[in-house]
Amino acid sequence: LPGVYLLVLAGFASPASIIAQSPKNQPAIADVGDFPIATSADARYRSWQQHQRMNVQSPFRELVWSPIGPRKQGGRIEAIACDPKNPSTMYVAPGSGGVWKTTNRGITWTPIFTSQATNAIGDIAVSESNPSVIWVGTGEVLMTPRSTEPGMGVYQSTDAGETWQQKGLLDSHHIGRLRIHPQDPNTVFVAVIGHLSTPNEQRGVFKTTDGGESWKRVLYLNAETSAIDLVLDSKDPSTLYATMWQRALHGADHYGASSGIYMSRDSGESWKRLTNGIPVGDKVGRIAIDVSKSNSNIVYALVDHKDGDGLYRSEDKGESWNQVNQQPVRGSWDWCEIQISPDNQDEVYNIGQTSFVSRDGGKTFSEIGGKIVRLQPHISKVLHLDTHCIWINPKDPNHILFGNDGGLYLSYDRAENWLHLNNLPIAEVYAMTYDSDEPYNIYIGTQDNAALYGPSTHVPEDGSLDWWTQIYIDRWGGGDAYFTFRDTEDKDIIYYESQYGGLRRHRMSTMQSRGIRPAPPGGAPGLRFAWMTPYMQSKHSVGSLYCAANHVFKSKNRGDDWEAISPDLTLGTDQPNLLYKAITALEESPHTPGTLYAGSDNGNVFSTTTDGGDWEQLDAGLPDLDVTRISCSPHQAERVFLSMSGMRFDDFSAYLYRSDNAGKTWNSIAEGLPLEPINVVREDPVCENVLYVGTDLGVYCSVDSGKNWASLCNNLPTVAVHDLFAHPTKDELVVGTHGLSVFKMDISKLREQ
């Protein structure tokens, strides 16, 4: 990172300063061999029914959410489909933002998948023979335990997205690809990735011939190997190619001997593995595949391989292969897709972190870029990195759509230049704060679209300018950002961070920033920062900051110098189920200076009342799961709330706790909530007994401090709420969603309860 680091750290507190360590209880989910038991599909579906009932029966049903942006930054697009008879009609799916439709090539958009059991999308397909029939495969393709949202199977619309029906495969969790038979919209093939972290039988390739009334698993290897890509021969749709992907369900190894290419010549009834000239073995990872529409003998496969990725070409329908790339190509576990131009078997698009095109059959590639024109003003001048999907008009291959982490890009000159359709409110918000201005501003950190702030009074309208301001953009057009906040004294300073502890101090008047990440003292082991590093300014001391890696740090001079004020609160490597070993939640008491609470990704919870002089372990009775938020009551000094998530174990239970004695004992207050992982909990700063929680599917409130719960989802689309706050002087509740930007609600009537 640029900037000069001036880091003066005291020695780490010794482990002896941790007092009253409590034994941990058993994990909240039972183990079967090396794997926990995932929440069942039946339990998740019943929970969704409870979610719907609570919404309909809520006493606060009349309270309405208003979207307030932002739009200009874009967001991660996972899937694109167009009406084959009228490409002005487009369907676009943000990874965790549902499905959006336009009938005018992106001038205006309508969300059409707002009230289903999930907002996480893996793929969309529109029937060639009947464009009113649309299939959606749910569950994100990005297989990372950080924030990947699982789905609830496949959905079908027969009226161009007006209404939807759930069509099975509830236990699929993540779907990689959908393919509809070109002559029969009721015959559909689905490549199912399966669970993120646990084995399951609903993996592989599935087929329906009756519009989803029944499914047959036609290709299956084992409970830990996914189907990730699937393509039909356009000249002979009874010929299919599927790629299978074996990856470690726990850990970072994304390779396995089961990974490979399979072909069927009888509509999926039987399959054979293709091995002649294509890599096999335990170094093979994810594979992308495509068949030429102009010459179906030509098939390309992009193979992610430990010893070097390769592009392979077959000229005999996959019977034999040759590696063709003469310069490096890139596939990976999170970006791996190729597509052949419909009119040229030698023109191949390799999209990913950086995207390339070959016009000589895959031998050489040129990077895709060009001039970028945007609907909304944006400070970046480049094509955003991390492209996840591409659509090429089969009737006009000059017409191309890219979906990447920056949103939707449109080209009419074969990927030479682009129009950025950045008018969709699809920011994936991680964290959110506000300032004391009138009107107050909201500060957000987003997935790969950096940090922004905007006025709480913003009302987005089609054709109007986005009032949000980008605090920074990296040189690739985005950048991950998390906790973002304005200095309480010097309002020209905004603090933000990138992944794994990339802490920055930014001066808006000069647009200059400085890295202020803590570092361990000489000779000490390296620090372990969480993906979203806890980072905040003190409530009691101007210019003081706190952050946390596996240790807690404090700065008294806005990050110029840091002091480690805790030992390793993850307890090193001596704990089981320890994948990341980092602190994920940090909170300072608003009542007492020097009182802090910290929670880690292995369920450890500690507190100090002496600003780090000593620490007490407080997690007896809590499960060994990720601590997502610790929140101190603004009303009672010893009242503390804590939320946890088992999502990276495919456990979707609600874990929510309250303590009335500063964390010495905890009581669950999750009874009455659906099975939805909880991301944030906060007590209302005006009404003492009012609580709000944000889950992976919405928002809930309690007016009796957690004894009973009511839905606040109302007109909010199904979406993960990662952060929220109730304003102390305005009757407004604001939520930051992971996929649909920011919403606010007038809660004056709720506060009257």
Side-chain angles (χ1 to χ4, degrees), residues 385-598:
L385 291 186
D386 304 348
T387 298
H388 300 276
C389 54
I390 176 175
W391 176 86
I392 306 175
N393 190 333
K395 298 178 182 178
D396 177 13
N398 293 310
H399 177 197
I400 297 175
L401 293 168
F402 264 20
N404 60 33
D405 276 13
L408 183 64
Y409 290 78
L410 167 65
S411 174
Y412 284 108
D413 55 11
R414 230 175 181 94
E416 293 294 329
N417 300 282
W418 299 91
L419 174 64
H420 186 191
L421 299 173
N422 59 334
N423 55 349
L424 284 165
I426 54 174
E428 294 183 323
V429 178
Y430 281 110
M432 183 171 58
T433 60
Y434 61 93
D435 63 20
S436 59
D437 283 5
E438 180 61 48
Y440 66 92
N441 293 294
I442 300 166
Y443 298 77
I444 61 173
T446 72
Q447 166 63 37
D448 212 10
N449 285 283
L452 304 94
Y453 71 92
S456 57
T457 52
H458 182 40
V459 180
E461 295 178 353
D462 288 334
S464 66
L465 291 180
D466 195 331
W467 293 0
W468 288 72
T469 299
Q470 290 158 312
I471 297 168
Y472 83 101
I473 286 289
D474 68 16
R475 60 191 176 98
W476 300 285
D480 295 314
Y482 308 93
F483 291 101
T484 304
F485 48 92
R486 193 176 191 178
D487 192 279
T488 53
E489 183 179 61
D490 186 343
K491 293 188 175 183
D492 193 38
I493 293 176
I494 296 177
Y495 302 90
Y496 68 88
E497 61 174 326
S498 57
Q499 65 267 38
Y500 298 118
L503 311 186
R504 311 288 295 180
R505 187 180 68 217
H506 183 80
R507 188 164 288 281
M508 290 299 295
S509 59
T510 62
M511 293 301 287
Q512 298 295 312
S513 65
R514 176 185 175 189
I516 56 172
R517 171 180 169 144
L527 298 173
R528 299 188 299 273
F529 288 90
W531 173 254
M532 181 171 76
T533 296
Y535 182 32
M536 63 186 184
Q537 55 189 331
S538 173
K539 297 179 175 68
H540 302 286
S541 178
V542 172
S544 291
L545 305 174
Y546 291 100
C547 76
N550 49 324
H551 303 255
V552 177
F553 292 86
K554 181 176 183 178
S555 171
K556 297 178 181 178
N557 53 10
R558 294 184 168 88
D560 286 341
D561 309 290
W562 292 92
E563 176 187 5
I565 62 171
S566 85
D568 184 346
L569 298 185
T570 70
L571 303 183
T573 58
D574 298 331
Q575 297 292 300
N577 296 330
L578 204 59
L579 294 184
Y580 303 101
K581 305 180 285 292
I583 295 168
T584 51
L586 184 66
E587 176 76 340
E588 181 189 29
S589 168
H591 303 281
T592 310
T595 295
L596 300 168
Y597 296 86

Side-chain angles (χ1 to χ4, degrees), residues 124-390:
I124 313 171
V126 179
S127 169
E128 291 182 41
S129 58
N130 182 0
S132 293
V133 176
I134 308 166
W135 287 81
V136 167
T138 66
E140 294 186 69
V141 178
L142 184 64
M143 301 302 287
T144 168
R146 295 189 299 265
S147 60
T148 292
E149 294 290 335
M152 288 288 282
V154 291
Y155 288 76
Q156 182 200 53
S157 173
T158 58
D159 51 16
E162 292 292 322
T163 60
W164 297 90
Q165 287 186 305
Q166 208 288 330
K167 288 291 186 176
L169 302 182
L170 283 172
D171 202 34
S172 58
H173 281 207
H174 302 273
I175 287 174
R177 192 72 73 202
L178 281 167
R179 300 294 186 189
I180 306 173
H181 192 284
Q183 285 86 47
D184 180 9
N186 289 315
T187 296
V188 182
F189 299 89
V190 182
V192 174
I193 300 172
H195 291 189
L196 174 68
S197 302
T198 53
N200 72 308
E201 295 298 310
Q202 212 163 88
R203 294 182 192 265
V205 178
F206 288 76
K207 176 184 178 180
T208 181
T209 57
D210 55 12
E213 295 303 314
S214 62
W215 292 90
K216 179 180 181 181
R217 190 179 64 186
V218 294
L219 177 59
Y220 173 80
L221 301 182
N222 55 61
E224 298 174 32
T225 300
S226 307
I228 185 65
D229 205 356
L230 181 67
V231 64
L232 277 66
D233 184 334
S234 62
K235 302 255 190 309
D236 175 15
S238 63
T239 297
L240 296 86
Y241 301 86
T243 65
M244 303 296 285
W245 180 28
Q246 182 181 359
R247 59 180 187 85
L249 300 185
H250 282 291
D253 193 352
H254 301 286
Y255 306 90
S258 295
S259 300
I261 303 174
Y262 290 77
M263 180 180 68
S264 172
R265 294 192 183 278
D266 53 10
S267 295
E269 294 304 309
S270 62
W271 298 79
K272 73 171 182 178
R273 187 172 186 177
L274 305 179
T275 60
N276 185 8
I278 201 86
V280 295
D282 59 7
K283 294 184 178 182
V284 178
R286 181 173 169 178
I287 302 172
I289 196 162
D290 197 21
V291 181
S292 171
K293 291 181 173 62
S294 58
N295 180 358
S296 61
N297 290 315
I298 305 297
V299 189
Y300 288 88
L302 175 64
V303 179
D304 175 26
H305 196 278
K306 275 188 177 181
D307 293 338
D309 303 335
L311 182 67
Y312 295 81
R313 172 172 164 147
S314 171
E315 298 184 357
D316 53 11
K317 293 183 179 289
E319 295 295 337
S320 62
W321 300 81
N322 291 294
Q323 185 171 355
V324 293
N325 59 296
Q326 298 174 357
Q327 63 188 64
V329 293
R330 182 173 181 183
S332 71
W333 63 271
D334 49 357
W335 300 281
C336 195
E337 185 164 342
I338 56 170
Q339 196 161 136
I340 309 165
S341 185
D343 64 344
N344 185 349
Q345 67 189 35
D346 293 325
E347 186 170 278
V348 185
Y349 292 85
N350 171 203
I351 64 171
Q353 187 173 45
T354 305
S355 296
F356 299 87
V357 60
S358 171
R359 293 187 169 90
D360 57 9
K363 296 174 185 175
T364 62
F365 285 84
S366 57
E367 185 174 342
I368 295 173
K371 184 176 181 180
I372 314 297
V373 177
R374 305 179 194 273
L375 291 183
Q376 290 282 344
H378 195 287
I379 59 178
S380 173
K381 305 299 182 184
V382 301
L383 181 68
H384 201 292
L385 291 186
D386 304 348
T387 298
H388 300 276
C389 54
I390 176 175

Side-chain angles (χ1 to χ4, degrees), residues 704-715:
D704 53 15
S705 204
K707 295 184 178 66
N708 298 281
W709 293 95
S711 173
L712 278 183
C713 295
N714 302 350
N715 65 317

Side-chain angles (χ1 to χ4, degrees), residues 693-711:
V693 296
T695 76
D696 274 3
L697 294 178
V699 190
Y700 299 86
C701 74
S702 171
V703 296
D704 53 15
S705 204
K707 295 184 178 66
N708 298 281
W709 293 95
S711 173

